[in-house]
């Protein structure tokens, strides 16, 4: 939560990264200027049922590709890491943050601190879907981070929250949803 960011201000992801920082700044300005109650949550890679199949996120991409038997596209060598938070866990964290004492404004990271490589995610999806899909590699996009993992010490302390659903269980639930649509 103390991290101020070290991202490109001109790269292809700049609007996304800078937009989030701008929103946080505005929230804290409203707190200072108008004494409004605020909460700032930093959400990390949430997944689960009701994801849009073509939203471009890695979990939905891999599941859709696997269920079609298509090749699963990995960008780069797949060794970049991410952490994945099941939607029910995120909702619990957000609910606790909204109910917290007004002095707890955030930012508070809400995500799962357990890291997986993108390759591990793809291999797990292949295993759970029992597909014959194979992995294909494409060039890593510019400015794609090699690691994303939240530090949730503040959420644990202030909200008594941490994620409970492990990746495989969450993927099974998400795969079952995608099979049903």
């Amino acid at each position: 939560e103390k991290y101020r960011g070290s991202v490109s201000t001109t790269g292809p992801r700049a609007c996304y990264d800078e937009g989030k920082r701008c929103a946080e700044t505005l929230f804290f300005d409203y707190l200072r200027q108008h004494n409004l109650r605020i909460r700032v949550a930093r959400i990390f890679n949430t997944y689960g049922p009701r994801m849009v199949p073509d939203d471009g996120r890695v979990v939905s991409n891999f599941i859709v590709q696997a269920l079609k038997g298509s090749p699963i596209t990995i960008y780069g060598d797949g060794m970049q890491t991410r952490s994945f938070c099941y939607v029910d866990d995120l909702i619990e964290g957000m609910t606790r943050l909204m109910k917290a004492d007004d002095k707890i404004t955030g930012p508070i990271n809400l995500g799962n601190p357990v890291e997986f490589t993108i390759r591990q995610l793809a291999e797990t999806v292949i295993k759970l879907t029992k597909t014959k899909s194979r992995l294909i590699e494409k060039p890593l996009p510019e400015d794609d981070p090699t690691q994303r993992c939240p530090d949730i010490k503040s959420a644990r302390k202030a909200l008594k929250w941490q994620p409970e659903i492990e990746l495989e269980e969450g993927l099974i639930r998400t795969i079952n949803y995608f099979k049903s649509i």
Side-chain angles (χ1 to χ4, degrees), residues 161-178:
W161 175 87
Q162 67 181 22
E164 302 292 329
I165 306 296
E166 293 186 13
L167 182 62
E168 274 203 28
E169 176 59 31
L171 286 175
I172 289 168
R173 295 178 189 184
T174 309
I175 289 164
N176 288 337
Y177 166 76
F178 276 102

Side-chain angles (χ1 to χ4, degrees), residues 2-139:
K2 301 288 184 225
Y3 178 69
R4 300 234 188 271
S6 177
V7 295
S8 168
T9 57
T10 59
R13 295 181 45 87
C15 285
Y16 177 73
D17 296 333
E18 294 299 314
K20 291 191 298 186
R21 291 192 332 181
C22 179
E24 286 185 12
T25 300
L26 291 172
F27 267 69
F28 284 97
D29 282 345
Y30 273 82
L31 170 67
R32 285 186 292 273
Q33 292 175 18
H34 305 289
N35 201 32
L36 289 179
R37 297 172 62 215
I38 68 163
R39 302 289 189 276
V40 175
R42 291 182 179 163
I43 298 168
F44 289 74
N45 278 353
T46 305
Y47 72 100
R50 296 196 180 99
M51 292 180 79
V52 178
D54 61 353
D55 70 2
R57 290 187 283 171
V58 68
V59 172
S60 52
N61 284 354
F62 286 2
I63 291 172
V64 168
Q65 289 172 328
L67 291 176
K68 289 180 178 178
S70 302
I72 294 180
T73 309
I74 293 179
Y75 293 94
D77 62 5
M79 298 314 290
Q80 62 273 36
T81 63
R82 300 291 184 269
S83 58
F84 303 97
C85 187
Y86 188 69
V87 65
D88 292 2
D89 286 331
L90 175 69
I91 290 168
E92 178 64 25
M94 291 181 77
T95 301
R96 289 184 188 201
L97 178 58
M98 289 185 283
K99 290 179 178 179
D101 186 277
D102 283 350
K103 67 182 179 206
I104 299 172
T105 58
I108 288 189
N109 292 336
L110 297 176
N112 193 322
V114 179
E115 285 180 272
F116 294 89
T117 67
I118 294 299
R119 186 171 293 277
Q120 286 174 306
L121 175 67
E123 290 167 350
T124 302
V125 168
I126 288 171
K127 178 182 89 173
L128 296 175
T129 57
K130 299 176 176 71
T131 186
K132 302 249 187 267
S133 293
R134 60 185 175 78
L135 303 180
I136 59 170
E137 294 179 3
K138 291 195 174 179

Side-chain angles (χ1 to χ4, degrees), residues 139-151:
L140 191 65
E142 182 182 344
D143 290 340
D144 193 57
T146 58
Q147 180 183 27
R148 275 233 184 92
C149 184
D151 176 345

